Amino acid sequence: MTKIETVTVEREGKVAIVTLNRPNKRNAMSPQLHLDMTQVLDELRDDDTINVVVITGAGQAFCAGMDLKEFFIKNRDDGAMFEKAFRASVEWRGRTLRYYPKVTIAMINGDCFGGAFSIVEGCDLAVAANEARIGLSEINFKIFPGGSVSKSLANLLSPRDALFYGLTGRPFDGVEAARIGLVNYATPAEGLRANVLALAKEIAAKDGAALRATKDGYRFSLEMSWEASMDYTLAKQDQLTMRQGGAWQDQGIGGFLDKKYKPGLSALEG
Ligand code: ACO
């Protein structure tokens, strides 16, 4: 196995916290970081003890986007290396996160620029520190939100917000990120980790197969006709029944009928 140099993984119960770990470079994404994230996500994918993956950054930054030197300048004359790094960068932030079998949460602890938007969009949920500095800085250095970022903006933001921030390059904070729907909500930096871990643990306590089906049902239905989606979700329901051994009927509905709990108000224990 190759050595992971730029990412750390901690575990708290059924939650894995994946930290981009180049704080001196504001966690900018070097080619090595893309390879490391590819490997870390690959390993966690099959870990049955984990239901939720939180992605965050070490130090004061979440992620300052692509490592402008390592990614764009060093590889400038090496087309093959650029292709390799580019493919890895697009895959883990795009397809891998989008269709990941675990729930993913971006915890935006600080600076978040350019290519980091694709991490945020790839995750199912996102929470920012009020004080985070966030921006589509590309236009400020004569380029545009390319690679996977254009599509991330189109997926997540309103046309007005995407183009306003894409065209001005103005930085904004976590509160504004919540207003425009880039994140679910923002909270003071001081309590961010505790807040996100509480959310992650609340979700991680639910049934792993049902969490996965919730994601898949939403993500895949987006690209389907109504008919195809109905057929898909019915098949998905059979798959869930198989994966759980019928737990949603026996324990889930059974517990409600036995008056053990009310699913509208609380979750089934265990
Ligand atoms: N690529 C490479 N190195 C970076 C990046 C980056 N994206 N961001 C920061 N660094 C490095 C700096 O070069 C510096 O390195 P050095 O100490 O060896 O000189 C170190 O990280 C610290 O950066 P500072 O600028 O000194 O830190 P500060 O806290 O003042 O500012 C900020 C942080 C706002 C993130 C600033 O560094 C910045 O504007 N970075 C570029 C952000 C950006 O435009 N990202 C690219 C988006 S486009 C894309 O992703 C395709």
Side-chain angles (χ1 to χ4, degrees), residues 24-26 28 60 64-69 72 111 113-115 133 137-138 141:
N24 293 339
K25 296 291 181 187
R26 304 297 180 260
Q60 71 186 67
M66 289 299 194
D67 187 309
L68 297 175
K69 184 172 158 193
F72 291 109
D111 292 347
F113 291 97
R133 298 185 297 190
S137 50
E138 290 90 337
F141 62 103

Side-chain angles (χ1 to χ4, degrees), residues 78-97:
D78 188 341
M81 264 316 290
F82 180 82
E83 274 292 322
K84 185 178 171 176
F86 182 79
R87 198 157 31 82
S89 85
V90 169
E91 281 297 322
W92 81 262
R93 290 173 302 156
R95 265 196 211 95
T96 303
L97 283 182

Side-chain angles (χ1 to χ4, degrees), residues 87-250:
R87 198 157 31 82
S89 85
V90 169
E91 281 297 322
W92 81 262
R93 290 173 302 156
R95 265 196 211 95
T96 303
L97 283 182
R98 192 175 316 286
Y99 303 120
Y100 205 60
K102 319 283 182 189
V103 175
T104 50
I105 305 177
M107 179 164 79
I108 305 171
N109 52 306
D111 292 347
C112 173
F113 291 97
F117 272 61
S118 286
I119 309 175
V120 178
E121 190 258 332
C123 286
D124 303 313
L125 304 174
V127 181
N130 286 342
E131 302 85 343
R133 298 185 297 190
I134 302 169
L136 291 165
S137 50
E138 290 90 337
I139 198 70
N140 292 337
F141 62 103
K142 296 180 184 286
I143 186 172
F144 70 103
S148 54
V149 181
S150 285
K151 186 62 176 164
S152 292
L153 298 179
N155 282 344
L156 206 55
L157 297 184
S158 77
R160 294 278 180 240
D161 291 324
L163 289 173
F164 182 84
Y165 286 113
L167 294 170
T168 64
R170 282 189 201 169
F172 53 95
D173 64 13
V175 178
E176 173 69 353
R179 190 191 72 76
I180 64 175
L182 179 66
V183 300
N184 291 90
Y185 61 90
T187 185
E190 209 183 16
L192 178 71
R193 187 179 163 102
N195 184 303
V196 171
L197 277 181
L199 171 67
K201 286 177 183 174
E202 177 189 338
I203 295 171
K206 302 192 191 293
D207 183 89
L211 289 172
R212 183 175 178 180
T214 304
K215 282 186 62 161
D216 286 352
Y218 173 76
R219 297 272 189 205
F220 286 104
S221 290
L222 279 174
E223 289 144 25
M224 289 179 192
S225 66
W226 186 85
E227 286 78 9
S229 172
M230 285 308 300
D231 198 49
Y232 168 76
T233 51
L234 273 176
K236 202 79 193 161
Q237 189 167 310
D238 289 344
Q239 182 193 53
L240 180 67
T241 306
M242 234 173 61
R243 280 193 169 137
Q244 293 177 326
W248 69 270
Q249 289 153 319
D250 301 339

Side-chain angles (χ1 to χ4, degrees), residues 73 179 189 222 243 251 256 266:
I73 303 300
R179 190 191 72 76
L222 279 174
R243 280 193 169 137
Q251 296 158 29
F256 171 61
S266 63

